[in-house]
Amino acid sequence: MPRLVFMNDRLVPEAEARVSVFDHGLLYGDGVFEGLRAYAGRVFRLREHLQRLWASARAICLEIPMTPERLGAAIEETLAANGLADGYVRVVITRGAGSLGLDPARTRDPQVIVIADTIALYPAELTAKGLRLVTAATQRSHPAALSPRIKSLNYLNNIMAKLEGQQAGCVEALMLNHKGEVAECTADNVFVVRGGRLLTPPPDAGILEGITRGAVMELALAAGIDCREATLTRHDLYTADECFITGTAAEVVPVVELDGRKIGTGTPGPITLRLQAAFHALVRSGAP
Ligand code: PMP
């Protein structure tokens, strides 16, 4: 059965889901996106993802030609049309076709695209044992250049770091900000555990405020685990008791090594495993 993709106002077969070569999303990475996940027929934190998408669009002065309610319904329709109760959804909003110049004013028809697919996880063996990370030499974009809080179609900064990770045999890489502080990974947020307390970099470290990150912070609070935002350096990761990363696709994944150094015991830690289990329970509970 061909996959169905939602394009602007209706579902079309994958082969008909096309954008213009003049679309500024393609020409300049001018657009925004979201990655969402459905569990047992329910999209996890749909409202939060839509809010972040609208905030990203607003930050680049792009008007999404649809209401959040309509887009939310389109996401659900696309999952259902592809028979996916559990799946990953990519929402892409491009600036639309224009002239061969940067000027966003000379574009029209922003494209609204919703793709539903099965979820591509990191290999189960890696996530069970815990990931090895390396620190990328590529710094996370300076917030004054391109704010990491905008989930834009311009992901080359992250891709450059991802390449460095892969060249070192890792599936993820740690990115530092322009001040040398820990920011995040290429597509995941990062947490450490020290003395029973959970720490994660604040938004002004130059990160995307992950929806999974927010859910994990809430779960920690509910479990009586002290959790706070703090400026972290690699020193804090090298000397942490535990470390893990979070993301819509990854969920909660232990990190056991950074730059060839073991973190804690070099195995997934107890607080990481507790929060991982709590996260799995939350997403499968049917809570919105
Ligand atoms: N940081 C970056 C750069 C990302 O691309 C993502 C994935 N969207 C995340 C963090 C994790 O965010 P979320 O939990 O909302 O998927």
Side-chain angles (χ1 to χ4, degrees):
M1 199 177 75
R3 191 179 3 217
L4 293 169
V5 175
F6 182 88
M7 289 282 301
N8 301 315
D9 56 0
R10 67 202 167 95
L11 288 160
V12 296
E14 181 180 341
E16 289 169 35
R18 300 212 173 101
V19 291
S20 163
V21 293
F22 292 98
D23 195 307
H24 281 206
L26 173 69
L27 291 174
Y28 301 116
D30 187 354
V32 293
F33 77 103
E34 267 303 318
L36 308 88
R37 192 155 166 184
Y39 297 91
R42 180 156 201 146
V43 181
F44 182 65
R45 305 248 152 143
L46 177 60
R47 195 170 46 87
E48 285 85 344
H49 281 283
L50 292 173
Q51 272 169 359
R52 189 171 67 184
L53 182 68
W54 255 262
S56 292
R58 186 148 232 205
I60 67 162
C61 301
L62 169 62
E63 198 169 327
I64 300 176
M66 193 177 280
T67 63
E69 292 72 27
R70 176 67 192 111
L71 184 56
I75 290 168
E76 280 159 358
E77 283 163 29
T78 310
L79 280 160
N82 289 284
L84 291 165
D86 294 283
Y88 182 83
V89 177
R90 172 60 50 89
V91 177
V92 181
I93 319 285
T94 73
R95 183 77 71 179
S99 55
L100 291 179
L102 294 180
D103 191 356
R106 295 183 63 186
T107 59
R108 53 191 174 79
D109 300 333
Q111 298 293 295
V112 178
I113 304 163
V114 182
I115 308 164
D117 203 350
T118 47
I119 181 82
L121 295 168
Y122 293 134
E125 190 204 336
L126 282 185
T127 52
K129 278 197 199 148
L131 298 185
R132 291 185 308 113
L133 301 181
V134 284
T135 307
T138 304
Q139 290 176 351
R140 192 73 177 97
S141 316
H142 192 299
L146 174 57
S147 173
R149 296 174 80 169
I150 304 171
K151 204 162 167 58
S152 84
L153 293 184
N154 197 320
Y155 249 52
L156 264 184
N157 175 232
N158 312 59
I159 291 167
M160 296 305 284
K162 177 102 180 168
L163 286 170
E164 288 186 56
Q166 284 176 342
Q167 280 149 7
C170 299
V171 294
E172 251 296 13
L174 182 73
M175 301 186 77
L176 308 178
N177 66 18
H178 62 285
K179 292 187 267 185
E181 299 157 356
V182 172
E184 59 183 338
C185 290
T186 69
D188 299 297
N189 292 112
V190 62
F191 285 82
V192 296
V193 178
R194 173 195 295 280
R197 172 183 286 174
L198 202 55
L199 300 166
T200 193
D204 67 10
I207 62 163
L208 182 78
E209 278 173 87
I211 310 282
T212 319
R213 170 183 180 273
V216 165
M217 291 172 84
E218 285 170 25
L219 289 169
L221 197 71
I225 300 166
D226 187 89
C227 175
R228 55 189 71 180
E229 294 179 336
T231 300
L232 301 176
T233 64
R234 277 195 297 177
H235 172 85
D236 296 300
L237 269 70
Y238 292 150
T239 60
D241 301 326
E242 303 179 31
C243 178
F244 63 87
I245 59 173
T246 63
T248 294
E251 300 183 318
V252 177
V253 178
V255 173
V256 294
E257 198 181 297
L258 174 63
D259 302 330
R261 299 166 179 235
K262 275 195 176 28
I263 297 176
T265 60
T267 55
I271 292 185
T272 301
L273 294 175
R274 199 166 143 205
L275 289 168
Q276 191 181 48
F279 185 77
H280 288 161
L282 174 68
V283 293
R284 284 168 184 84
S285 69

